[in-house]
Amino acid sequence: MAVADDFATLRDVLRFVPGDVSHFGTHKTLAPTCESLGLPTPPDEGTKYERALASFEAVPDTELPRVAERVLATMELDARQCNDVQDTLWATTEQPSIPKRIRRELAKDIDTYDLIRNEDHFTKLLDTLWVLDDNPLSAFITGQRTLRDHIQQHVYRNMDWDAMELFEHLGAFEASGRRFALFLEGLASADVVPDVEAQRRFVAATNLHLDRSGYELRETGDDDGYPVFSLVSTRSVRRRPKYLIFASTEKPDIRFVDALDGDIEILGNADAVLSYDRHIGADGLLWSDLQAWWRDRHNLPTDEEAKRTLYSRLLECLPCNSPQQRNLFLGYNSVFGSRIPRLPALVPEVWLHWDPKRSEPAGETLSSGSGWTFFSCCQAAVELCWKSTANATTRRTADQTRPCMPPTCEPIASSS
């Protein structure tokens, strides 16, 4: 929560606004310019600067954050001025608190190779958050170099700066929590690392350290097929959404805590069911996505071990008295073989699929007497399901806990 000192500091940082507004405008344009920035209509009397200053001084403290946002969005500021406004504005709100020690240990484990594959994209990210042209004399005096020049030499050409040294020169260890969070999100983005596996490697290495401060980079969306990661608190009451509950070896006891937010609690037999809690993008759930999630979940050393153990776990959950399911699963993996990682994951024993875009469950909870659902997220956002017809009978195992394939099935249309 912002206090009086925060507002006073923000007003001081914004004191350049009356001068810029009066310098670049006329008496006629002064009023609409002030109003576009969230400032009151200036008085008619006085010089342009006096009118603009009177308008600025009349802004209530509580409105200053809104003025700062409009200044950042509409006025041309140099990098240092922009950062000063941003940091002072962010100080009026709650920010992530990531200690310097964790920042340093995190940087020590970052491999910059993946991050600097595209020099232009990496530099663009740096320009949005840091002051690279930090020496105003460099344009006039030979030998005066900027941080941009040092990064060009030591990061791109010589590659003798590791992430620790780069972070140190950028000021990342002392930066505000919000700026550091945006930096991590940018480093995890496809704009900087247009490679999904490299994105996930960076996120996994980073989260090992962020976890100790109560934060993590979490997959929260997708951008043209690439995952989008956001820094979120792991200490909040809200749990990770369970996008897919599947592969049950026993009937799970599922309760909706908050259906709109995907907050679903498994009360019983939690170990007998899998809960996929990563965002499912526009291409659907690919086997490579499922395998990466499984490997991270169990901290497995290789992709080969992750593939083998996940395959065994999915095969294990298929009902013994349903050869149709087993044949479909085995046949799918046998026919497509080496192409499987790039293909949709064939997911058995689905009890629930939650689609956040529709803000409602996209599947249904199967209880005693309900039909059997076999689910697969397919490429081009197609979901292919086979569902029992309304009047189909359901065969059950002796303990009435495992759904089996009905005699007749019909396809369900895509939910996309």
Side-chain angles (χ1 to χ4, degrees):
M1 174 180 280
V3 297
D5 287 346
D6 294 329
F7 290 131
T9 304
L10 183 57
R11 190 179 294 275
D12 287 341
V13 169
L14 292 172
R15 286 205 177 276
F16 68 88
V17 172
D20 283 9
V21 168
S22 60
H23 178 73
F24 294 105
T26 65
H27 275 288
K28 186 176 181 179
T29 62
L30 192 63
T33 301
C34 287
E35 292 166 2
S36 70
L37 295 174
L39 304 176
T41 303
D44 295 331
E45 301 299 325
T47 65
K48 289 187 298 180
Y49 177 74
E50 289 170 345
R51 294 176 62 202
L53 180 60
S55 173
F56 177 75
E57 295 291 0
V59 178
D61 284 351
T62 55
E63 290 298 308
L64 285 172
R66 187 164 65 97
V67 173
E69 290 172 353
R70 294 190 179 185
V71 166
L72 289 168
T74 61
M75 295 185 69
E76 293 186 8
L77 310 178
D78 62 46
R80 191 175 299 280
Q81 201 172 38
C82 179
N83 283 17
D84 287 344
V85 174
Q86 287 176 335
D87 286 333
T88 312
L89 172 63
W90 294 336
T92 66
T93 62
E94 185 176 356
Q95 299 188 68
S97 179
I98 303 174
K100 290 182 182 179
R101 176 180 174 181
I102 290 180
R103 298 186 190 196
R104 291 183 181 278
E105 292 176 353
L106 180 157
K108 187 177 180 180
D109 282 351
I110 290 179
D111 183 356
T112 58
Y113 175 77
D114 285 333
L115 303 179
I116 62 173
R117 289 184 186 180
N118 190 309
E119 178 181 325
D120 291 339
H121 289 186
F122 187 66
T123 302
K124 184 177 180 180
L125 171 65
L126 298 183
D127 270 322
T128 63
L129 293 169
W130 312 104
V131 181
L132 302 188
D133 300 309
D134 57 343
N135 189 341
L137 299 178
S138 62
F140 308 102
I141 302 177
T142 303
Q144 295 290 326
R145 308 184 70 196
T146 65
L147 177 57
R148 186 185 304 277
D149 297 327
H150 287 294
I151 290 174
Q152 186 68 36
Q153 176 182 346
H154 297 289
V155 176
Y156 298 134
R157 290 204 300 267
N158 299 347
M159 299 183 68
D160 54 1
W161 275 9
D162 57 13
M164 277 281 287
E165 193 151 8
L166 175 61
F167 277 40
E168 187 74 61
H169 283 85
L170 290 172
F173 299 134
E174 291 77 27
S176 66
R178 176 63 175 154
R179 187 171 303 281
F180 191 73
L182 290 173
F183 188 39
L184 293 182
E185 290 173 355
L187 293 175
S189 71
D191 290 335
V192 173
V193 186
D195 181 298
V196 175
E197 290 186 5
Q199 282 182 276
R200 297 199 184 281
R201 280 199 302 271
F202 172 80
V203 169
T206 301
N207 281 343
L208 289 175
H209 300 282
L210 289 177
D211 181 65
R212 291 185 288 126
S213 61
Y215 294 93
E216 69 175 5
L217 284 170
R218 182 178 301 173
E219 188 172 345
T220 55
D222 67 271
D223 181 13
D224 287 337
Y226 291 98
V228 174
F229 296 94
S230 304
L231 188 77
V232 299
S233 172
T234 58
R235 295 170 179 168
S236 61
V237 175
R238 181 175 296 176
R239 293 178 283 264
R240 275 177 175 249
K242 296 178 176 62
Y243 292 101
L244 186 63
I245 297 178
F246 67 106
S248 59
T249 56
E250 299 177 15
K251 176 183 173 182
D253 187 0
I254 299 172
R255 178 172 69 93
F256 283 90
V257 178
D258 188 337
L260 293 180
D261 289 324
D263 193 352
I264 302 161
E265 185 176 7
I266 302 174
L267 299 177
N269 300 330
D271 294 337
V273 67
L274 301 182
S275 300
Y276 186 81
D277 54 7
R278 290 183 177 176
H279 177 78
I280 298 175
D283 288 337
L285 180 60
L286 306 184
W287 175 267
S288 57
D289 298 328
L290 195 63
Q291 180 176 303
W293 163 80
W294 178 262
R295 180 178 176 177
D296 292 344
R297 185 174 187 262
H298 292 280
N299 196 27
L300 300 176
T302 65
D303 286 335
E304 185 62 31
E305 184 172 354
K307 178 178 69 175
R308 177 181 57 79
T309 54
L310 175 59
Y311 182 85
S312 298
R313 175 62 180 81
L314 296 182
L315 188 62
E316 174 191 342
C317 79
L318 298 176
C320 58
N321 63 344
S322 180
Q324 299 96 325
Q325 289 193 55
R326 185 172 292 268
N327 290 341
L328 177 60
F329 184 79
L330 293 174
Y332 181 80
N333 287 278
S334 175
V335 169
F336 293 106
S338 61
R339 287 179 288 171
I340 285 292
R342 301 181 298 277
L343 294 178
L346 201 57
V347 183
E349 300 297 307
V350 173
W351 292 83
L352 179 134
H353 167 228
W354 180 70
D355 185 351
K357 294 183 179 179
R358 297 195 304 169
S359 295
E360 64 181 9
E364 63 184 64
T365 301
L366 300 181
S367 57
S368 179
S370 63
W372 172 89
T373 302
F374 201 82
F375 171 93
S376 173
C377 285
C378 297
Q379 290 172 314
V382 174
E383 294 170 2
L384 182 61
C385 301
W386 287 270
K387 182 180 179 182
S388 60
T389 55
N391 59 357
T393 59
T394 302
R395 299 194 304 273
R396 294 276 177 176
T397 56
D399 62 0
Q400 292 290 299
T401 61
R402 297 281 303 284
C404 295
M405 191 168 186
T408 59
C409 300
E410 62 181 9
I412 292 180
S414 167
S415 65
S416 59

